[in-house]
Amino acid sequence: MPNANNVYWCKGGDKVHAISTSFTEDYDEPYASLTLKNAKLRDQGEYTCVAEKYGNEAERIRWRFTIKVYEGK
């Protein structure tokens, strides 16, 4: 979202930075990225990128992604 004031990622209903230190979030307008470091099976699930823009009315856009993790042998 152009000119977003706040961009963050969630897994389930929790913001990823609150549930783990193995994630890195980055926002370089208009691109948002989430990097999983040393992904584990517990990291598998649905992630949502939320971009908020504040003005007269709050505007929020959400993108959902499913991440699957496979254990190597």
Side-chain angles (χ1 to χ4, degrees):
M1 169 191 298
N3 301 316
N5 298 89
N6 191 28
V7 176
Y8 58 91
W9 289 83
C10 295
K11 180 181 179 210
D14 300 316
K15 291 184 179 179
V16 295
H17 72 270
I19 59 174
S20 177
T21 58
S22 65
F23 297 95
T24 302
E25 299 174 82
D26 189 37
Y27 177 61
D28 186 13
E29 191 177 325
Y31 304 103
S33 65
L34 175 70
T35 303
L36 284 73
K37 300 178 205 166
N38 301 314
K40 306 288 185 211
L41 287 175
R42 68 176 178 260
D43 295 320
Q44 183 168 290
E46 184 176 271
Y47 289 78
T48 305
C49 179
V50 180
E52 298 175 332
K53 183 176 180 180
Y54 300 103
N56 291 336
E57 295 180 25
E59 183 179 345
R60 180 179 285 173
I61 296 177
R62 296 173 187 243
W63 296 276
R64 287 192 170 84
F65 304 91
T66 300
I67 296 175
K68 295 189 178 197
V69 177
Y70 299 93
E71 279 191 285
K73 292 185 179 190

